[in-house]
Amino acid sequence: MGRLGFSTTESARLLLLSVFGVLLLSVVLAEQEGENLSGLSNNPDKAIFAVRENGTTCLMVEFAVKFLVPYDVLALNGIDLITEQASFTLPRGAEIEGKCGSTESEIHISWKNNAYVLRIYFSKEFRDKGIEVWKISKVQFVYDTSETSIFLNAYNPGKHTASTHRLSALVTPAGRSFVCTAQQTLTLISSDHQKGVTVSMYDIQIQPFDITSDFIFSEPYKCITDQRERLEETLPLVLGLILGLIIIITLTVYHFHLKLTANQPQLPRDRSMYKNM
């Protein structure tokens, strides 16, 4: 009986290990990986990142990003603190991680051995009239003021996290990519005494859901700022064409008027000449 009990216990353990192995294998097979495609861009400031699941692109981000981060330094008197501003951009050689889901996705971009980490979270939702959209629902930025290549003479240096609150940015119809040349600016509140960190994105094309072709964005949805700028560029041209057309029509009518009046008999202006008629 003892040998039978031992055998049954071992069999149960083997069964559990087998189930665990299958689950682990399924996780590995569904593993999501990040790819840096920035070398494909001719713009030295623009980065291109993709998250892939099972060899298929599920999230793509193409943009240039600039950070403006306030931090404290000790004044010359050695007592007071003054605030400096560190300005830097997102490097093209950053490392990528991400997760894709049907209603929630995210991308993590890190550099300088995780001294800096930019996390962007996306979500889907239904709005009025049942229209499905996606948006950026949260942005976090981790930075280390002990990183002396950016933060010079920082007081009490260390890591801080800046986050948005109740964010709803870049709202885009589902199945389309967001496109915007104009700058889009977000303000994050830092754990460093509630300082405001500015994250500015421009030359943007983003799609976190419903990518149907590998490494190819879906139909673009242009931001309102770009639409307005395009209208401002084309409006003078349209008005010029309308004005030119009005001038041409006016000259044409005047020309025909002259021809018609030239063919009509001229009545004498001197009333005395009527007697001879």
Side-chain angles (χ1 to χ4, degrees):
M1 293 295 293
R3 291 180 58 85
L4 181 60
F6 177 79
S7 177
T8 303
T9 303
E10 288 297 318
S11 298
R13 288 178 179 175
L14 288 173
L15 180 61
L16 287 175
L17 288 174
S18 299
V19 172
F20 179 75
V22 170
L23 292 174
L24 182 61
L25 180 61
S26 64
V27 171
V28 171
L29 290 175
E31 183 179 0
Q32 296 165 338
E33 59 180 356
E35 289 197 25
N36 189 329
L37 307 173
S38 302
L40 300 177
S41 173
N42 294 325
N43 185 341
D45 296 325
K46 183 184 287 189
I48 305 174
F49 306 124
V51 178
R52 310 187 79 216
E53 182 179 56
N54 295 331
T56 302
T57 306
C58 56
L59 187 158
M60 279 187 69
V61 173
E62 179 177 346
F63 55 13
V65 185
K66 183 178 180 180
F67 303 91
L68 191 63
V69 182
Y71 67 102
D72 292 332
V73 298
L74 201 61
L76 293 177
N77 60 15
I79 299 174
D80 299 324
L81 294 177
I82 58 176
T83 301
E84 297 285 353
Q85 298 280 352
S87 178
F88 52 96
T89 59
L90 176 68
R92 286 159 55 101
E95 297 180 356
I96 312 302
E97 292 182 355
K99 297 178 182 178
C100 292
S102 58
T103 59
E104 293 185 352
S105 295
E106 59 190 70
I107 185 169
H108 302 178
I109 307 168
S110 60
W111 62 100
K112 288 278 186 179
N113 295 321
N114 288 323
Y116 307 95
V117 183
L118 176 64
R119 302 187 184 104
I120 306 176
Y121 300 85
F122 306 91
S123 63
K124 268 186 177 182
E125 66 182 23
F126 284 94
R127 296 206 166 182
D128 296 339
K129 299 180 181 179
I131 298 175
E132 189 177 23
V133 300
W134 65 261
K135 65 179 183 179
I136 294 180
S137 55
K138 186 178 181 181
V139 175
Q140 281 188 335
F141 181 53
V142 178
Y143 60 97
D144 192 347
T145 55
S146 63
E147 215 282 296
T148 55
S149 65
I150 299 295
F151 300 96
L152 302 178
N153 303 316
Y155 177 78
N156 194 20
K159 274 197 172 184
H160 302 283
T161 301
S163 303
T164 56
H165 297 276
R166 297 181 180 178
L167 181 64
S168 181
L170 313 191
V171 179
T172 304
R176 300 177 67 177
S177 62
F178 178 86
V179 175
C180 195
T181 303
Q183 180 172 293
Q184 305 291 305
T185 300
L186 303 173
T187 300
L188 287 61
I189 304 303
S190 175
S191 58
D192 182 15
H193 299 89
Q194 301 297 299
K195 290 182 173 64
V197 174
T198 301
V199 179
S200 300
M201 302 180 290
Y202 52 96
D203 288 339
I204 308 166
Q205 186 162 14
I206 296 176
Q207 186 172 357
F209 304 101
D210 306 319
I211 296 178
T212 56
S213 300
D214 208 18
F215 296 121
I216 298 177
F217 288 106
S218 298
E219 180 185 357
Y221 175 79
K222 289 190 176 182
C223 63
I224 296 176
T225 308
D226 278 8
Q227 294 177 17
R228 188 182 300 117
E229 289 180 354
R230 182 67 181 271
L231 179 61
E232 291 174 353
E233 290 174 358
T234 57
L235 187 59
L237 178 61
V238 173
L239 292 177
L241 290 174
I242 293 174
L243 181 60
L245 185 61
I246 292 173
I247 293 173
I248 292 172
I249 293 173
T250 304
L251 291 175
T252 302
V253 171
Y254 180 69
H255 175 72
F256 278 106
H257 173 72
L258 289 179
K259 289 188 69 175
L260 290 174
T261 54
N263 294 331
Q264 292 179 354
Q266 299 293 324
L267 296 176
R269 295 182 180 181
D270 189 352
R271 289 176 179 266
S272 62
M273 297 179 65
Y274 285 104
K275 297 178 180 180
N276 299 326
M277 296 178 64

